[in-house]
Amino acid sequence: MEAIIYNVILIASFLFLLQKKEDTEPYFPLKIIGYFLLGSFAFNLNQVSLPLGFILYLLFFLPKLNVHVKRTAAVIGVFSFILVHWIFPFGLNQWENRSVFIKHDLGSVYVVDFQDEFEGMKQELSLENDFLKLEDFKVEYLEDGSMKDLSWQLVQQDDNSFNLYYIQYDFDKSRYQVRKSRADTWLQYDRLTDAGRFFENLDVLDIKDLTQTKGSFSFYVIQSSGERVFLAEEENRTDFFVSNGEIQLLNHEQLPVEGYIVSTFAMKKMEEEKDDQGRIVHESFEGTESSNYLFDVEFGE
């Protein structure tokens, strides 16, 4: 696209300036092209394009014939440089990274099918399963099942770069907001779980049952970094693993294990401060009743 824009400006300016000839001069058409190319010549420094050609024109080129026409050619050249190297990439980046809003109603966390949510998101964003990884999934909800927060990120490899889709649900407006960005590297990509595989295993969990098991608290959290982890020591929590669509208890004799983890825990209110009108101005919470659910598990020797 940049090449097309550049060539259109070059041809249009060449045809226009040919008619503005003031003095008889040999090779005039070639000189017009030369001044245009000089004005548009770019020098890249640390991935930043600079108009080196136009700077050289201002410092060293003092034409004696058709001065106005040649100056115009150089100015149009530097304009094409600005358009192609600065304005167009900036506009394209803004367009690609614009937020996408997807109207959608979500019910209780106890009935929502997260795999269906994922499939719907793929369809809305025209994404394929190939090379689509998941990162930083999180849902917060109350004991009655109403959700407070839902977000996750999808990472897609595209040749030598990565497309990032940050997905956040806006409960006030009943819609998803998707912010897209692009990165040259994503170091943890190879350690992330396949997105489809993650949601397939997440739907195995009975969220209502595991919530009731924890007891009554301020709110509850289900989250996963999406990265493959290694567990070697038994800690103060209950661990399970998902195998063939069934949940099994993981005991310390089976450690160490490696797999992808979905962490669940309750948030217990530790302190609360109110102002003179009785409004809460500060709260602090502590995680408790933690349990992990692992999938795609590999058991150590």
Side-chain angles (χ1 to χ4, degrees):
M1 180 60 74
E2 292 94 333
I4 294 175
I5 295 174
Y6 182 84
N7 288 328
V8 168
I9 297 175
L10 171 60
I11 294 171
S13 62
F14 174 73
L15 296 175
F16 172 75
L17 292 173
L18 276 180
Q19 305 174 34
K20 301 297 180 179
K21 182 178 179 181
E22 300 169 344
D23 306 307
T24 302
E25 184 176 3
Y27 307 112
F28 176 71
L30 292 179
K31 291 179 180 179
I32 291 300
I33 295 176
Y35 274 91
F36 176 92
L37 295 176
L38 179 65
S40 63
F41 179 76
F43 174 74
N44 294 318
L45 179 64
N46 294 329
Q47 298 184 338
V48 177
S49 296
L50 302 174
L52 179 61
F54 189 70
I55 295 174
L56 294 175
Y57 163 77
L58 293 175
L59 293 176
F60 302 110
F61 286 80
L62 300 172
K64 296 180 180 179
L65 299 176
N66 294 300
V67 176
H68 177 72
V69 180
K70 293 174 181 175
R71 182 185 302 115
T72 302
V75 170
I76 295 176
V78 76
F79 168 76
S80 70
F81 162 86
I82 294 172
L83 184 63
V84 170
H85 291 277
W86 291 349
I87 297 178
F88 182 78
F90 176 77
L92 182 63
N93 181 70
Q94 291 295 108
W95 171 256
E96 290 181 341
N97 295 340
R98 73 193 188 283
S99 289
V100 176
F101 298 99
I102 302 170
K103 197 71 177 177
H104 184 68
D105 291 323
L106 279 180
S108 167
V109 71
Y110 299 139
V111 298
V112 67
D113 188 318
F114 287 105
Q115 191 167 12
D116 282 351
E117 295 298 308
F118 167 63
E119 294 296 332
M121 188 60 62
K122 278 200 314 176
Q123 184 175 353
E124 290 285 348
L125 300 176
S126 301
L127 299 176
E128 300 294 336
N129 263 340
D130 297 341
F131 311 113
L132 194 60
K133 302 293 188 76
L134 176 132
E135 187 173 46
D136 295 334
F137 175 89
K138 184 177 183 181
V139 57
E140 295 182 358
Y141 61 97
L142 303 178
E143 190 172 2
D144 64 3
S146 56
M147 287 184 279
K148 299 172 52 184
D149 185 33
L150 173 62
S151 63
W152 72 86
Q153 181 166 267
L154 297 175
V155 185
Q156 181 185 50
Q157 188 169 13
D158 182 14
D159 294 329
N160 295 322
S161 60
F162 299 89
N163 295 322
L164 314 175
Y165 300 87
Y166 180 73
I167 300 162
Q168 175 85 44
Y169 190 80
D170 187 335
F171 289 92
D172 292 331
K173 299 181 179 179
S174 298
R175 67 184 185 182
Y176 281 108
Q177 179 180 2
V178 184
R179 299 195 301 272
K180 180 182 176 182
S181 61
R182 196 172 181 88
D184 293 331
T185 59
W186 205 252
L187 299 178
Q188 64 270 36
Y189 179 81
D190 291 333
R191 302 196 302 272
L192 295 176
T193 178
D194 175 83
R197 182 69 177 154
F198 173 84
F199 286 104
E200 177 185 337
N201 283 277
L202 180 64
D203 270 2
V204 174
L205 305 186
D206 187 330
I207 298 178
K208 188 171 186 178
D209 181 65
L210 68 86
T211 303
Q212 291 175 344
T213 301
K214 296 180 189 304
S216 183
F217 291 94
S218 298
F219 64 97
Y220 306 83
V221 179
I222 301 173
Q223 67 180 28
S224 175
S225 68
E227 293 190 45
R228 195 163 183 82
V229 298
F230 180 78
L231 295 182
E233 297 180 0
E234 186 177 16
E235 297 183 12
N236 186 26
R237 63 169 185 267
T238 306
D239 293 331
F240 303 87
F241 66 95
V242 180
S243 178
N244 297 321
E246 296 183 355
I247 298 174
Q248 301 181 40
L249 181 66
L250 179 69
N251 56 60
H252 69 274
E253 287 86 3
Q254 294 172 293
L255 297 175
V257 297
E258 183 179 336
Y260 302 105
I261 288 183
V262 178
S263 298
T264 71
F265 50 92
M267 298 300 292
K268 178 181 179 181
K269 182 180 286 189
M270 302 303 294
E271 61 178 356
E272 176 182 281
E273 294 180 12
K274 296 183 179 180
D275 61 15
D276 295 337
Q277 286 74 41
R279 295 172 298 190
I280 298 175
V281 295
H282 174 73
E283 294 176 294
S284 65
F285 299 88
E286 180 181 79
T288 186
E289 299 296 327
S290 174
S291 56
N292 288 332
Y293 295 81
L294 291 84
F295 63 94
D296 292 346
V297 176
E298 293 182 5
F299 295 93
E301 297 297 333

